[in-house]
Amino acid sequence: MLLPRTLREQLEAGAERRRSGRRGRYAPSPTGLQHRGNLRTALLSWLVTRLQGGEWLLRLDDLDTPRNRPGAEAAILADLRWLGLAWDGPPIRQSERTGLYATVLSSFRGGGVLYPCRCSRRILADVSAPHGAAPVYPGHCRASPPQPGPAQWGVQQGRLPSWRLALGPGPLGWPERLAAPGQLDGPSQVGDVVLRRSDGFLAYHLATAVDELTLGIADVVRGQDLWSSTGAQVAVMALLGQSPPDYWHVPLWRDAGGQRLAKRSGSEGLEGLRARGLDGPGVIGLMAASLELVPAGARLSADELLAELQRRGGLAELERLLAEQGQAPAG
């Protein structure tokens, strides 16, 4: 696929950054307060990067503007500072990078790998998959003959189409450090994912994949619940002629009832922990102890935790401990 020169240069610069050092990132969405599970993932991402002497970036995934909440970005930055998790450089906002994503979309459309989808919500709601797997788009619009000319991309019956990636056959693989081996079958397990929504918003998979590449991210640390979304992002990376970073899909922090923590359910964040009398070292100790990195009741700063892990074997020891937690029942 022919890519514009400026896009090729950004991809090449990102690949060079990855070759020259280990870059990590934390990428929260400013849709509400961070709960302790989010912040534990931030701590782990920071540790993975710092144990390799790398740069740690803060990226705000704020493209879905209707879901963004006033004050959420400032609260995220304040929480990270309070925990001692310093990032390198200014925060990066996806909302300031939309031109880059639009360039990729235009290139994909010109390369014939996108098609318009006008499926109703009812049709999409009927899409289901067995055994609780993620729904896979059945290809209704891919099988329909497109309208000639630019009309296929325009407004019809008061709405724009979404743009889907026409995914080719075969497996999609990535280097996985913790969770199940990084491989999904494209057609049966990933399907033709949306890269631009019908409301005009760019999709998470597109922006995330482009950012990991152009920012030179070498290690992506995030929750196990995002493991299945990796296939779609790897598909975008492959079309851009790039290999994926290393992924660390870490165990989720669950409540006493075994339910995963979530913003929408008001899961406890720093405000609640502080109300319980915990200070910064107490919270870092609580997070680290929840993964058995330190004994229960430990009090230490993020820098002290980093030094302790370096003393005990560095990144290899952290990977071993996290792998053990991933194999154990969540709690």
Side-chain angles (χ1 to χ4, degrees), residues 44-279:
L44 291 175
S45 175
W46 184 85
L47 288 169
V48 165
T49 301
R50 297 306 192 210
L51 284 168
Q52 300 176 90
E55 294 180 305
W56 192 62
L57 307 184
L58 174 60
R59 189 184 79 217
L60 295 156
D61 289 1
D62 61 348
L63 284 179
D64 197 351
T65 52
R67 297 183 61 237
N68 294 341
R69 295 291 176 265
E73 177 183 319
I76 290 169
L77 271 60
D79 284 351
L80 294 176
R81 290 190 183 106
W82 190 79
L83 290 170
L85 302 180
W87 58 90
D88 296 296
I92 299 162
R93 297 173 183 84
Q94 287 189 328
S95 59
E96 298 173 352
R97 294 167 60 82
T98 54
L100 173 61
Y101 311 140
T103 298
V104 174
L105 268 179
S106 179
S107 300
F108 284 0
R109 192 173 80 174
V113 297
L114 297 181
Y115 65 90
C117 175
R118 298 184 184 275
C119 286
S120 67
R121 291 183 178 180
R122 172 178 290 183
I123 291 175
L124 297 178
D126 288 340
V127 175
S128 60
H131 312 306
V136 175
Y137 179 67
H140 291 303
C141 291
R142 186 177 188 177
S144 302
Q147 297 183 11
Q152 62 179 314
W153 304 101
V155 176
Q156 293 183 19
Q157 298 180 340
R159 64 192 296 266
L160 289 166
S162 60
W163 295 0
R164 289 188 179 272
L165 176 63
L167 196 62
L172 296 165
W174 65 90
E176 178 62 57
R177 301 291 291 265
L178 289 178
Q183 184 163 304
L184 289 168
D185 179 69
S188 66
Q189 295 179 297
V190 178
D192 294 351
V193 296
V194 170
L195 296 188
R196 198 217 67 175
R197 295 170 4 193
S198 61
D199 58 9
F201 286 99
L202 295 159
Y204 164 76
H205 295 308
L206 173 74
T208 295
V210 172
D211 281 344
E212 314 297 25
L213 295 179
T214 57
L215 295 174
I217 302 302
D219 294 284
V220 174
V221 181
R222 58 189 187 183
Q224 284 178 339
D225 55 321
L226 294 175
W227 181 92
S228 61
S229 72
T230 312
Q233 293 156 31
V234 168
V236 172
M237 294 176 186
L239 285 172
L240 293 171
Q242 303 293 315
S243 59
D246 288 350
Y247 286 88
W248 303 66
H249 287 100
V250 300
L252 300 181
W253 201 346
R254 301 181 183 273
D255 62 22
Q259 298 298 309
R260 53 173 289 194
L261 305 181
K263 291 181 188 177
R264 61 181 177 272
S265 63
S267 295
E268 186 178 40
L270 285 190
E271 184 177 351
L273 295 173
R274 285 192 285 254
R276 288 161 51 185
L278 292 173
D279 58 5

